[in-house]
Amino acid sequence: MLKTSYNIAVRTIGSVLLLLFILNPMPAIAQCAMCRAALGSSDNDLQAEAVNDGIVYLMIIPYLLVAVIGIVIYKSRKQARQGK
């Protein structure tokens, strides 16, 4: 029974995330155009470096979230196997 409810939960979460990504693609495209315009209009290397650092910081959060979710799922599945 735990396996069935787990599968339903994973499918539901996956479906919701897929819908969010499909229905909301425009802000990501707009950010790229904004960054390109900000960096293309000036010869300031410091501003370009700051924008690149900001992009890296924004990229770290999703990877950390995926890693934490993966660790939680791994540990919960490991505990379920040991409990049998």
Side-chain angles (χ1 to χ4, degrees), residues 45-81:
D45 290 336
L46 185 60
Q47 184 180 10
E49 187 177 333
V51 170
N52 287 336
D53 289 343
I55 291 169
V56 171
Y57 293 140
L58 289 173
M59 285 176 49
I60 288 172
I61 301 300
Y63 286 110
L64 285 176
L65 287 173
V66 169
V68 168
I69 290 170
I71 291 169
V72 168
I73 290 172
Y74 172 76
K75 287 186 176 186
S76 67
R77 293 183 83 183
K78 187 176 178 182
Q79 281 182 345
R81 287 185 198 155

Side-chain angles (χ1 to χ4, degrees), residues 24-43:
N24 196 12
M26 294 306 289
I29 295 169
Q31 291 297 334
C32 289
M34 290 172 59
C35 291
R36 187 178 307 137
L39 297 177
S41 64
S42 68
D43 294 329

